[in-house]
Amino acid sequence: MNFTKRQEEIINVSINIIAEMGIQNLTIKNISKAIGISEPAIYRHFESKMDILLAILSYFKKSNSIVLETPNLENENTIQQIGSIYSNHFKQFKKNHALASVIFSEDIFKNDKRLSKKVASIMQSNNIVISEIIETGQENNEIRNDIPVDELALIIMGALRLIVKKWRMANFSFDLEKEGTNLWNSIEKTISKK
Amino acid sequence: MNFTKRQEEIINVSINIIAEMGIQNLTIKNISKAIGISEPAIYRHFESKMDILLAILSYFKKSNSIVLETPNLENENTIQQIGSIYSNHFKQFKKNHALASVIFSEDIFKNDKRLSKKVASIMQSNNIVISEIIETGQENNEIRNDIPVDELALIIMGALRLIVKKWRMANFSFDLEKEGTNLWNSIEKTISKK
Amino acid sequence: MNFTKRQEEIINVSINIIAEMGIQNLTIKNISKAIGISEPAIYRHFESKMDILLAILSYFKKSNSIVLETPNLENENTIQQIGSIYSNHFKQFKKNHALASVIFSEDIFKNDKRLSKKVASIMQSNNIVISEIIETGQENNEIRNDIPVDELALIIMGALRLIVKKWRMANFSFDLEKEGTNLWNSIEKTISKK
Amino acid sequence: MNFTKRQEEIINVSINIIAEMGIQNLTIKNISKAIGISEPAIYRHFESKMDILLAILSYFKKSNSIVLETPNLENENTIQQIGSIYSNHFKQFKKNHALASVIFSEDIFKNDKRLSKKVASIMQSNNIVISEIIETGQENNEIRNDIPVDELALIIMGALRLIVKKWRMANFSFDLEKEGTNLWNSIEKTISKK
DNA sequence: TATGAATGAGCTTTCATTCAT
DNA sequence: CATGAATGAAAGCTCATTCAT
């Protein structure tokens, strides 16, 4: 999972291509053209196109880990932790629009078993992180108890995903961090134990 | 927007292929093979592959209209109307798994301007329907007033989209109608004016 | 060689298509679209596309006969006869631009043995007509004797063909009849026995 | 306008195919088969079939330049210059039958605007060269003055074109250089100031 | 006489990938 | 580490033609 500079370049360029032109336009030709090297040169760095796609997913996993697991280290309450997860997402996406355009588009990787398996496992582990925070929150009487963990997770992550989708469909034209924080404040109202 | 039998067949088969194998595998060859006719025969019914994709989006638009606008006709309160939208979605997806796999995957259609424009307009008009119901609900004191319409819409539709995504990533192995109704009941708790 | 009305329509439309879009665009689809009937309907009138091409050549042969052999009937001298051939060509082409664009383009019919054979025979018989007139002219001391018949024929017909080609490459923008008559007067000077 | 070896090979092979089988048989498959490489390999050397056709026209332009402009350099009188143009054409065509079969067949390139534009510009610039020689000839009292330049050009080039066409329709079976020289001698008689 | 639906063959072009240099 | 040249497979699409109606 440790990529060379060129490999990282290929991964980034690939995410950009998917974000801007769709997975159908992620071709070796387009990748190499974007980087400015020849097509065979790509194969010095990845054995096959499939490996590039797997590398993209690995990059997503790493990205998610950073965004999701950072708050645990700090001494916040659970509501604050989820708030941090929200704002960490927004900060990351602000820096990297392409990532926002691809990371929640799991269907892109549906055309192959290995890919969709990896996608599923990433989603699964993300879910676990969120669920554990919520569970703790309910135990600590910070999060309301009358709604099951899974459903709270759906509400929290569903809204996050959808606002990000709207943001990129609006061509990143509104301030995701501001609107997203407002959204989070509203969700906070609905899920926190008053 | 009035399709012949063959055109409908092509649309349905195409949605199935996208659902099962991803957009990359939606080829004229795969479509014709699935129907049992030759590849050139497809071109008697659609001028180009692009027209098939546009027809799929038209079909989505029609599907959405049915699901979203039906409740308005009946004499339900706004909370019940949104509940109906939820259950209508679940009923439709239960009947047509492929539709569930594709209708919220707007990114599939990102590789072409005409397609992504149409996708955006569909999302837009869906959003309007939901927002109007919420607005009325707030005016009628059925839905809480301390959260803006747009954010309530994000919560409601975000959760719906995400549970559907989980359902199909779980290979349709849980009862979407049951779990979805539970989800709705929980959301109802969070958004209705107590 | 007696064509029905529909057959004549198909022949004319085909000549127009070749003239305007080149032989590569002479397809059954384009022919039927231009006439306003379905593709299979064409096959009611011609057994195959090859038969349409052969019919076009037959039409050329007939056209040429009229243009070339008419003057013989009248009591002109040979110089006047060739002058009539010139002006007959121009009159015909003025009425039918498409014909001008195709009748001297023998290469169009090079992709098939039957076609190129027919083309060759048409050229051959045209050549005979011209040569006979010239020969008579030389015998009658109307046409210079110091140049062989064949070469006079090349000069006369070469200039005619080339001015027609220039005319259609100029989009029929100059007055072919006027310019052509001038050309003929000049050629007359060069070939007639002073 | 500087072609690689492979590009030149493709151009030559393409001219041969057009000459022998007509433009309709100029397919990527036929080109690649004739060279002995695969079809996609062609696309390493030309971006599209259109570019091959444009390259053929560039080759024609270059060919024409050589044939037409060479005599100007030498110290011949204008009649001799035109004679050289004639014999240069014949020499070139003797070496390259295919070229003779294609270079005067402007209609082959009528199916596309870019092509026909280029064809027209080539014809135009050729015409200028010939006309200038004739004009000088008239000023020098070498060429008769009672026929306008344009008409002399039509006579000279029309006969040249037509004898070449006859030669290839006769399957190159007569001696073009001999017959052509005779033709030129006859034309010389008709156009030179006695 | 005409058509809607279909097809085998073939078109131009792009794909991921390989290999000699 | 990089490239120019190549390829088998497959893409979207068009061709002339057939056949049931």
Side-chain angles (χ1 to χ4, degrees), chain D residues 13-154:
Chain D
V13 157
S14 297
I15 292 172
N16 277 319
I17 290 170
I18 297 173
E20 283 163 29
M21 307 191 282
I23 187 74
Q24 294 103 313
N25 285 303
L26 184 72
T27 64
I28 301 291
K29 191 174 209 159
N30 281 339
I31 296 171
S32 58
K33 211 192 297 172
I35 295 182
I37 57 176
S38 70
E39 295 173 51
I42 300 290
Y43 288 88
R44 280 273 151 204
H45 306 283
F46 285 102
E47 282 205 345
S48 67
K49 190 181 170 183
M50 177 60 59
D51 285 322
I52 297 176
L53 291 166
L54 288 167
I56 292 173
L57 291 180
S58 292
Y59 178 78
F60 286 175
K61 188 158 200 169
K62 214 183 66 190
S63 278
N64 272 325
S65 300
I66 294 167
V67 165
L68 289 173
E69 282 156 27
T70 307
N72 292 323
L73 304 171
E74 312 173 30
N75 53 354
E76 299 172 311
N77 69 32
T78 53
I79 291 283
Q80 287 167 330
Q81 280 177 26
I82 301 173
S84 295
I85 287 175
Y86 258 66
S87 68
N88 284 344
H89 270 106
F90 300 144
K91 272 177 206 146
Q92 198 188 21
F93 293 157
K94 207 170 185 176
K95 269 193 282 183
N96 189 349
H97 285 190
L99 189 66
S101 299
V102 175
I103 202 163
F104 293 150
S105 300
E106 290 86 0
D107 303 300
I108 288 173
F109 303 95
K110 198 155 61 185
N111 62 318
D112 179 89
K113 282 225 165 147
R114 278 163 76 199
L115 292 173
S116 44
K117 225 172 176 174
K118 187 152 191 175
V119 164
S121 98
I122 294 175
M123 278 199 88
Q124 178 68 12
S125 60
N126 291 352
N127 202 47
I128 290 172
V129 176
I130 300 285
S131 297
E132 278 173 358
I133 298 174
I134 296 171
E135 218 167 325
T136 310
Q138 290 184 323
E139 285 163 9
N140 298 356
N141 273 328
E142 290 158 12
I143 296 178
R144 63 192 294 172
N145 249 310
D146 59 341
I147 298 181
V149 174
D150 285 352
E151 292 172 11
L152 286 168
L154 284 171

Side-chain angles (χ1 to χ4, degrees), chain C residues 138-157:
Chain C
Q138 288 183 325
E139 285 163 8
N140 298 358
N141 271 328
E142 290 157 12
I143 295 176
R144 63 193 292 170
N145 250 310
D146 59 341
I147 298 181
V149 174
D150 287 352
E151 293 171 10
L152 286 168
L154 284 170
I155 293 168
I156 293 164
M157 294 311 293

Side-chain angles (χ1 to χ4, degrees), chain A residues 18-25 101 104-108 110-111 119-120 123 127 144 146-148 151 153-155 157-159 161-163 165-166 168-169 179 182-183 186-187 189-190, chain B residues 18-25 101 104-108 110-111 119-120 123 127 144 146-148 151 153-155 157-159 161-163 165-166 168-169 179 182-183 186-187 189-190:
Chain A
I18 298 173
E20 282 164 28
M21 306 191 283
I23 186 74
Q24 294 101 314
N25 285 303
S101 298
F104 293 150
S105 301
E106 290 85 359
D107 303 300
I108 288 172
K110 197 152 63 182
N111 63 318
V119 165
M123 276 199 89
N127 204 47
R144 66 195 289 171
D146 59 341
I147 298 180
E151 293 172 8
L154 284 171
I155 293 168
M157 294 311 293
R161 281 167 166 259
L162 190 48
I163 197 173
K165 177 162 247 172
K166 290 222 162 135
R168 58 195 181 80
M169 290 195 81
E179 306 275 332
N182 288 343
L183 173 62
S186 298
I187 292 178
K189 281 185 206 158
T190 71
Chain B
I18 298 174
E20 283 164 30
M21 305 192 283
I23 187 75
Q24 294 102 314
N25 285 302
S101 299
F104 293 150
S105 300
E106 289 86 0
D107 302 301
I108 290 173
K110 197 154 63 184
N111 64 318
V119 164
M123 276 199 88
N127 202 47
R144 64 194 291 172
D146 59 341
I147 298 179
E151 293 172 10
L154 284 170
I155 292 169
M157 293 313 292
R161 280 168 165 260
L162 190 48
I163 198 173
K165 179 163 245 175
K166 290 223 162 137
R168 59 196 179 79
M169 290 196 78
E179 306 274 335
N182 288 343
L183 173 62
S186 298
I187 291 177
K189 280 185 207 160
T190 71

Side-chain angles (χ1 to χ4, degrees), chain A residues 116-135:
Chain A
S116 44
K117 226 172 176 175
K118 187 151 189 175
V119 165
S121 98
I122 294 175
M123 276 199 89
Q124 179 67 14
S125 61
N126 291 351
N127 204 47
I128 289 171
V129 175
I130 300 284
S131 298
E132 278 173 358
I133 297 174
I134 295 171
E135 218 166 326

Side-chain angles (χ1 to χ4, degrees), chain A residues 2-67:
Chain A
N2 259 352
F3 296 119
T4 65
K5 284 233 159 141
R6 259 289 197 250
Q7 283 179 318
E8 276 182 10
E9 198 181 359
I10 291 169
I11 292 168
N12 282 326
V13 156
S14 297
I15 292 172
N16 275 317
I17 291 171
I18 298 173
E20 282 164 28
M21 306 191 283
I23 186 74
Q24 294 101 314
N25 285 303
L26 183 72
T27 65
I28 300 291
K29 191 176 198 167
N30 281 340
I31 296 171
S32 59
K33 209 192 297 171
I35 295 181
I37 57 176
S38 72
E39 295 171 56
I42 300 290
Y43 289 88
R44 284 276 150 202
H45 306 284
F46 285 103
E47 284 207 340
S48 69
K49 189 182 169 184
M50 178 59 61
D51 286 318
I52 298 176
L53 291 167
L54 288 167
I56 292 172
L57 291 179
S58 293
Y59 178 79
F60 287 174
K61 188 158 200 171
K62 214 183 67 188
S63 275
N64 273 325
S65 301
I66 294 167
V67 166

Side-chain angles (χ1 to χ4, degrees), chain C residues 155-194:
Chain C
I155 293 168
I156 293 164
M157 294 311 293
L160 173 61
R161 282 169 166 258
L162 190 47
I163 198 174
V164 171
K165 177 163 247 174
K166 291 225 162 132
W167 181 57
R168 57 193 180 82
M169 290 195 80
N171 272 312
F172 316 105
S173 61
F174 62 81
D175 184 339
L176 178 63
E177 238 172 330
K178 203 183 111 201
E179 307 274 333
T181 306
N182 288 344
L183 173 62
W184 168 241
N185 290 335
S186 297
I187 291 178
E188 202 185 325
K189 282 185 205 159
T190 72
I191 65 163
S192 58
K193 200 137 189 181
K194 63 156 195 310

